[in-house]
Amino acid sequence: MVTTARRSPLVLRILKWIALGLAGVMIVIACLVLIYLISTQNSPSGSQKMQGLNDAVSIGFDPSDIPHIKAATASDALFALGYLHATERSWQMEINRRLAAGRLSEILGEDTLKIDRFIRTVGVKHSAERQYERYPVEAKRLLQAYADGVNAGNAKLGWALPVEYFLTGSKPGHWSPTDSVAWMLMMAMDLGGNWQKELQRLELSRDLTTDQIWEVLPPYTQGNPVTKMDFAALYKNMGIFANTDASKTIKPLGIQDVRQPDTKQDQLLRALLPGGIEGIGSNNWALSGKRTVSGKPLLANDPHLGLSAPALWYFARLEAPGINVIGATLPGIPAVVLGRTDSIAWSFTNTGPDVQDLFIEELNPANPGQYRTPDGMAAFLVREEVIEIKNKPAHRFIVKQSRHGPIISESYDRAKNLINTDRFALALRWTALDLDNQSVIGLLEMNRATNLEAFKKALRKNYAPMQNVVMADTTGNIAFQAAGVAPKRTLHQGLYGLAPAPGWDKQYDWQDYIPFDQLPALDNPEQGWIATANQQILAANNPNPLTGDWELPFRYERITALLQAKPQHDLASMRTMQGDTLSLAATPLLPLFNATQSTHSSASAAQAIIAGFDGDMRKDSSGALLFNAWVDQLTRHLFSRLGDYFSFEYGKRHFRNALLEQLSNPNSLWCDSPKTEGVENCAQASQQALDKALEYLNAHYGSDPSNWKWGNAHIAISEHRPFSRVPFLNRAFNITAPFPGDGFTINVGRPELGKHKNPFETKQAASLRTVFDLADLEQSTFIYQTGQSGWVQSKLYRNLNPLWADNQALPLQMKPTTIQRQLELRPK
């Protein structure tokens, strides 16, 4: 007998109510989302009344969504720029404002406490406020106009804010002129990082000799470091280190590990702490008329910075009495940073001078509030900082400052755990914190320059970061100027800023800055071209280098080879150069790569790929992926014995210079594995690396070598802050694309390396590309990796990414053929 169970009418009614309820909730949610999308002001048009304007401002958006701002006064133009920055990039500006002020934890919680504490200790916002007090009245007026525009733009958004605010339970904060100054300091910090290399040398000194440290961190000129001091012996004799176990047996070239637990806060600190990334440089070059088809200069620029979503840049044009400029602006800064007027164009790369020094301060054993100076004991300057933390009690701490600068070892665990904090502290001396720093004024004056002489005069106001500025004008001139301040050092005297110096010894104090007229400069060279790519720059009348830590010259060498490969260039060949992917850092390793045999089952297929690889890091190249997997494993083989140091630094540092130097000696001790009883040479190390590389590729990309394409692994990721680290949300907010190149190609795509999940993804590449044609500036082009909008739901959030990834470009015109939409701002 078969029985059928029937649900009671009551159960059916309950299920029906639940279904209706769920449907109702979904309808309500859909309606709210629709209302939100309709209410958002992410593409404003029409006419709007604004408090703070003096006269009406017209804004026309061209087909690339570049706003063309036309105003009766410069202050109104900057008000409008601030308004657009806020309406298009509100969340980006809010997170940057909080980062510079050390106030992330107010909305993100305890996870960002360490980065807030470090930024507060360095005193970025504190220094910005003191510097702003010295700004002239006119500059203050312009900065205030911009800030008023930002606040008006945020207010105009109403309740329908970017979704990030709802997800973090926050609202836009008040933007002040000092926030712009602070963000300029953060850019200087991002382009610096020498203090971190000094800390690395101190760290390595605990277990290695100075000669061994030079093998890990080779000097730019091999065998001739800018300092001759045995700093490792200096530190050991000083007794600076904590937790040193002299009885512990260490194999040759080994490191004692003293790692503390790696918390989420530590991971965020490493991710968000600006600066210290090796090889994060830029390219620029200019050709005079005798080297171009048109007979007038061509100028190219591609700054290599961290990829973010939305992008670091926002393109705009400003037109007002005394100003007519178009190019890349930084939301938060009231100026075009990279661009052109109607007669000149300019470009930046990072000079990378040593403008950050660590000083070892010896504490008074009877009074830790005092430290030793050349004239006896002195008291630290102190101030209290209070960090508000979401859903947690506030964090209070004291910031100490010596005569050199803020004491960072009390807020940076890596330094704190390294040194004996009962006896010593580490202070940071950094040019950007000087009261005389007024770099924002330099940008304002650059935008007003009508010729190269006026532009060079404006460059004198640039303080930090120091930049290699390559310029050109419509009359046919090309020029170069290193612009910024750097301490004057004497070659081979003292530590030359390469490692922390005893703060009580006057010989290590900064005596003076290099005068502007003695900085490297060049006008209309006979060769007909100028190029910089973070390589060593020397002034003709001052042979002392600005740093001992220049970037490797591979990009520069490739640029110069391509410039000289043809007698004349045009706009198309300039763009082709920007997309070049031949790695001159790979070519020296190709003989060893070709000679290496493997016992892996994929060895025969691998050998065919290896034989055909020439160092070109194309997206479709199997050789590029196999080579990079091999060189990654080889680097790990040689230097992972450095323990914590390698774990912390691999990724921020590529170790390529050290690898090349050690492999030049087939029997280098670094090629021997400390984990085996025998002594391996570099050929054996290479075979082990290739075996591991093939094992890795088979595990991650399958056994079919046709799937081993560089573009499958080398993914450019434009990261959103902070949702790049939040599962599911990161898929919506991050922007990704397969990408060519490596850390040394002109079209740079620097692999992360230290990551275990995908060491080959890249988060540092060309943040924009511009080419300026001085024969007809309306033929100039630009591209960058996201889009003008910071609203994740907008099609303009990511529309430029495919073009950027394929090295395509868009027109950068002051007189566009069409205007897509029009916005008028009128005084209230």
Side-chain angles (χ1 to χ4, degrees), residues 561-607:
L562 291 176
L563 287 176
Q564 297 175 78
K566 54 191 300 184
Q568 292 183 321
H569 288 264
D570 57 16
L571 197 66
S573 66
M574 298 284 272
R575 284 175 45 196
T576 299
M577 283 180 60
Q578 287 183 328
D580 187 77
T581 54
L582 181 67
S583 175
L584 297 189
T587 50
L589 293 170
L590 292 182
L592 178 61
F593 188 45
N594 274 277
T596 302
Q597 302 295 314
S598 172
T599 58
H600 194 275
S601 59
S602 299
S604 59
Q607 289 301 325

Side-chain angles (χ1 to χ4, degrees), residues 162-191:
V163 69
E164 291 95 330
Y165 288 109
F166 296 107
L167 293 172
T168 57
S170 60
K171 293 182 179 180
H174 179 79
W175 190 274
S176 71
T178 57
D179 288 318
S180 293
V181 179
W183 190 239
M184 190 74 178
L185 293 181
M186 290 300 292
M187 293 305 301
M189 184 181 288
D190 193 42
L191 292 170

Side-chain angles (χ1 to χ4, degrees), residues 2 112 337 400 536 570 607 725 765 769 803:
V2 179
T112 53
V337 178
K400 297 177 183 176
Q536 186 179 47
D570 57 16
Q607 289 301 325
R725 296 178 174 273
R769 302 186 195 99
L803 300 175

Side-chain angles (χ1 to χ4, degrees), residues 92-337:
Q92 181 184 35
M93 294 185 71
E94 178 66 10
I95 206 76
N96 290 346
R97 182 184 70 84
R98 289 184 174 277
L99 176 61
R103 295 180 59 188
L104 290 172
S105 300
E106 293 177 5
I107 62 171
L108 300 180
E110 195 173 25
D111 288 342
T112 53
L113 177 59
K114 286 189 176 182
I115 185 67
D116 280 346
R117 176 162 175 155
F118 183 82
I119 295 297
R120 293 277 191 101
T121 297
V122 173
V124 172
K125 186 64 184 293
H126 179 71
S127 296
E129 290 170 345
R130 296 169 69 223
Q131 292 169 1
Y132 180 72
E133 290 176 0
R134 295 191 170 200
Y135 272 45
V137 173
E138 175 61 16
K140 285 183 175 179
R141 186 176 67 84
L142 294 174
L143 281 164
Q144 185 64 60
Y146 174 80
D148 290 342
V150 173
N151 294 320
N154 277 325
K156 197 68 176 177
L157 294 177
W159 71 271
L161 297 168
V163 69
E164 291 95 330
Y165 288 109
F166 296 107
L167 293 172
T168 57
S170 60
K171 293 182 179 180
H174 179 79
W175 190 274
S176 71
T178 57
D179 288 318
S180 293
V181 179
W183 190 239
M184 190 74 178
L185 293 181
M186 290 300 292
M187 293 305 301
M189 184 181 288
D190 193 42
L191 292 170
N194 181 266
W195 73 269
Q196 295 180 60
K197 272 201 171 177
E198 291 187 37
L199 184 63
Q200 291 170 34
R201 290 188 175 99
L202 177 63
E203 198 170 33
L204 291 169
S205 295
R206 192 182 52 126
D207 298 305
L208 302 181
T209 67
T210 299
D211 287 342
Q212 290 171 336
I213 293 169
W214 286 129
E215 293 173 352
V216 178
L217 288 166
Y220 188 81
T221 305
Q222 185 61 25
N224 186 30
V226 292
T227 177
K228 301 294 188 183
M229 286 192 66
D230 186 353
F231 50 84
L234 171 71
Y235 300 141
K236 287 166 184 167
N237 293 334
M238 191 185 297
I240 190 175
F241 299 111
N243 303 321
T244 301
D245 185 358
S247 65
K248 184 174 180 179
T249 302
I250 309 173
K251 294 194 76 170
L253 306 178
I255 291 287
Q256 297 182 42
D257 283 344
V258 291
R259 177 182 294 177
Q260 302 298 311
D262 196 19
T263 66
K264 189 174 182 180
Q265 285 193 29
D266 295 318
Q267 295 170 8
L268 278 173
L269 178 63
R270 289 201 297 273
L272 294 178
L273 182 64
I277 298 179
E278 191 175 52
I280 184 168
S282 307
N283 306 317
N284 63 1
W285 62 86
L287 292 163
S288 71
K290 67 181 182 181
R291 300 298 303 270
T292 68
V293 173
S294 70
K296 287 293 181 73
L298 289 166
L299 173 64
N301 192 197
D302 52 301
H304 306 158
L305 299 168
L307 301 178
S308 63
L312 186 70
W313 307 102
Y314 177 83
F315 273 73
R317 180 194 176 194
L318 301 172
E319 183 182 2
I323 181 171
N324 187 23
V325 62
I326 188 171
T329 71
L330 290 168
I333 305 293
V336 169
V337 178

